Structures are given as C-alpha cells and as structure tokens.
Amino acid sequence: MNRRSIHSYTWIPKWSTKDGAYAAERAAAFGYGQLVVPIRDHDSIEPAAIAALCERAGVRPVATSPLQADNDISSTDPDVHRRGVERHCAALALARDMGADRMGGILYSAFGKASKVPSDANVQVAADGLRIVAERAASYGMLLALEVVNRYESNLINTAEQAVRMVKLIGADNVRIHLDTFHMNIEENDLLGALELAMPHLGYFEIDQNHRGRLTQGSIDFAPMLRRLKAADYQGLIGVEAFSSAVSHPDITAGVASWRNLFDHGDDVARDGQLLLDQHGL
C-alpha cells in the first residue's frame, strides 16, 4: 500500500466532486497514494462519485469528520452529545461508501477556540461517544484517528500524552493517534519525545510547517522525526498538509487562519513533501 497522504486543500479551495478529481490527479502525479477528503457538509459528499474519481487517479480517500458546538461529542448536554455521535456515524457511512478505510480529524470535540478548561466529565463523555463510533467503524472494517491539535482548535486533546489517555479510555483496538507537526510545534515540550510516546498508537503522522506553508521554508526540522519513523519501521500513513490564502476558500482560510499567500499552487507543496519523504525512505 502507498502510505503517502496529502490533503485535498493543498490544491483546491474546499471540497467538491469536480475539484476533488483535480486534487486526486495531482496527488497521484506526485506519488501520493492517499487523498484527504473532509466531510464537512454531508450534502456535498457524493460517495460513489468520489470512489470513482479516486479509483481513476489511483488514490484512496482518507476521510475527516469535524464537529461544531451544536454537535460536540464532548458536551455533557445529552442532546448535543447524541448529535455528535450521530454525525460521526453518518460520516462513517459516507467514508465507507467512498472507499476510505479510516476517518480522522478532531473527532473528540468541536473545532475552534474554547472558552474554558475541559472537565473530567467532558473527557469521559467524549470517550464514551467515541467508543460507540469506534464500534461502528469496526463493523465497517475501518479505523478512527484522533488528531492532536493546538489550543486554538480544541481544549480537549493538545498533546500526545492526552491523546494516549483518550485512546486508553476508549479502549477500542481500531482507534489510533494522528500527530501533526504544526500542532506539535506549538504544544509539545519535546517533539521526538511526543512522537515516541504516541508511537505504539500512531496511525497517521503529518508534516506541516510552523506557518502551514511550504514545507522547505520554515522553522520545523522534520528530519529527526522522519528518521525515527524509519528506524521504528512505522507502517501507518504519513501525510503532507499546507494552506495558503491564494488557494483556500474564505471559510477554510478563516478556520485555520491562513491569512498569507504562502504558495500559489499545491504542486510546490506536493513536491516538497515528495522530496522529504524520498530522502528518508518513507
């Protein structure tokens, strides 16, 4: 299996079947075998068409499923929590039908800057809800991948240590951790130490620069982490992600604060990632 993954937003403003076909073609042209397909607006997702375009390009979709305040699975409000579980289960069915073998992202809470510290109850209800979602995913032969993000995108899981705790609370064999170097660079004291801690549960490792632009232009040194993955014979997905105001839709720009033009075309990012992964034999 080609384990290299790249986000569709590298090339397109936001997901549509038409634009997704272009992203899939460009991903394949640079040797990526996986393409991230965000399931934001369920009505815009056409599973059969996505499966067909991915098959034509020779890539496999990797689904993500974001949550908002009214369907936050970490909410102690039973109705809000239930809507989060239901939304994830609906997204799983779409992901399955488009040919994905996993669903990831900030699965454990609403996306966005929170207003308070999470309680132990928030952590527990998120784990309880994700246990249900994981069981549904297992019935489809799919994995879940919990993305560790920075404090401005969630208050629940900001470090590898917190992610490991959540995986253990859920207690399902098909739940993995997704590390992203952009978020790690903000939150972790020791990037290699965080990688080591997450390694037994790691299912997705994403290289993403400190400014979220070109991978070869920034302050994060990916080499030590990539060498460690190679030495550990890491078999999970390894991804590339970047954003630029010249490419992203205004909604996406606002969501990830990609205010600057950091690249004009996604091919530049894809090429950077290709070179980095080739250099480290990943």
Side-chain angles (χ1 to χ4, degrees):
M1 181 182 72
N2 182 332
R3 298 180 294 116
R4 294 186 181 183
S5 175
I6 192 165
H7 205 295
S8 56
Y9 288 169
T10 305
W11 287 281
I12 63 177
K14 64 178 181 178
W15 182 264
S16 71
T17 301
K18 179 182 177 182
D19 288 345
Y22 175 71
E25 291 167 4
R26 298 315 300 155
F30 284 93
Y32 293 88
Q34 316 277 331
L35 181 73
V36 176
V37 178
I39 306 179
R40 289 166 54 90
D41 174 12
H42 287 198
D43 292 338
S44 71
I45 298 298
E46 302 173 291
I50 294 169
L53 71 86
C54 286
E55 184 175 2
R56 283 196 302 272
V59 300
R60 187 169 196 168
V62 177
T64 64
S65 177
L67 297 171
Q68 302 301 325
D70 68 344
N71 51 32
D72 183 352
I73 202 169
S74 71
S75 174
T76 54
D77 181 315
D79 291 332
V80 174
H81 173 78
R82 173 183 50 78
R83 287 195 292 269
V85 173
E86 290 173 350
R87 178 176 172 81
H88 277 339
C89 288
L92 270 174
L94 293 172
R96 173 200 60 192
D97 293 347
M98 71 173 71
D101 68 350
R102 68 191 61 213
M103 186 172 80
I106 310 171
L107 302 178
Y108 45 82
S109 72
F111 171 76
K113 187 177 179 182
S115 60
K116 59 183 179 181
V117 175
S119 67
D120 289 343
N122 292 131
V123 174
Q124 187 61 59
V125 296
D128 293 342
L130 288 172
R131 193 174 303 114
I132 296 169
V133 179
E135 184 176 355
R136 180 70 61 87
S139 74
Y140 297 156
M142 296 174 64
L143 301 176
L144 298 182
L146 311 182
E147 184 174 8
V148 184
V149 297
N150 71 76
R151 72 196 76 175
Y152 305 108
E153 297 187 14
S154 173
N155 64 350
L156 210 74
I157 299 181
N158 303 135
T159 67
E161 182 178 15
Q162 290 173 319
V164 170
R165 178 190 177 199
M166 179 61 77
V167 167
K168 290 180 178 179
L169 276 174
I170 296 167
D173 292 339
N174 62 327
V175 178
R176 302 287 187 272
I177 291 173
H178 171 169
L179 291 182
D180 178 319
T181 56
F182 165 76
H183 301 291
M184 294 171 72
N185 187 58
I186 296 171
E187 299 292 350
E188 301 286 2
N189 294 328
D190 175 2
L191 300 188
L192 271 177
L195 174 58
E196 202 68 45
L197 184 65
M199 192 79 77
H201 310 282
L202 192 63
Y204 199 113
F205 186 80
E206 196 162 45
I207 53 176
D208 191 353
Q209 259 300 355
N210 64 293
H211 45 50
R212 311 205 85 171
R214 291 283 300 272
L215 301 173
T216 53
Q217 301 169 359
S219 63
I220 301 177
D221 181 6
F222 302 116
M225 291 178 282
L226 296 178
R227 286 196 296 266
R228 182 68 190 97
L229 291 173
K230 180 65 175 178
D233 194 27
Y234 168 68
Q235 295 298 309
L237 299 190
I238 183 159
V240 167
E241 183 177 65
F243 300 93
S244 172
S245 62
V247 176
S248 297
H249 184 276
D251 290 347
I252 307 304
T253 294
V256 300
S258 58
W259 307 124
R260 293 184 289 146
N261 178 2
L262 296 174
F263 55 88
D264 290 316
H265 198 283
D267 282 6
D268 294 330
V269 174
R271 188 177 295 108
D272 285 352
Q274 181 186 48
L275 291 172
L276 277 166
L277 297 179
D278 282 352
Q279 286 170 5
H280 293 88
L282 291 167

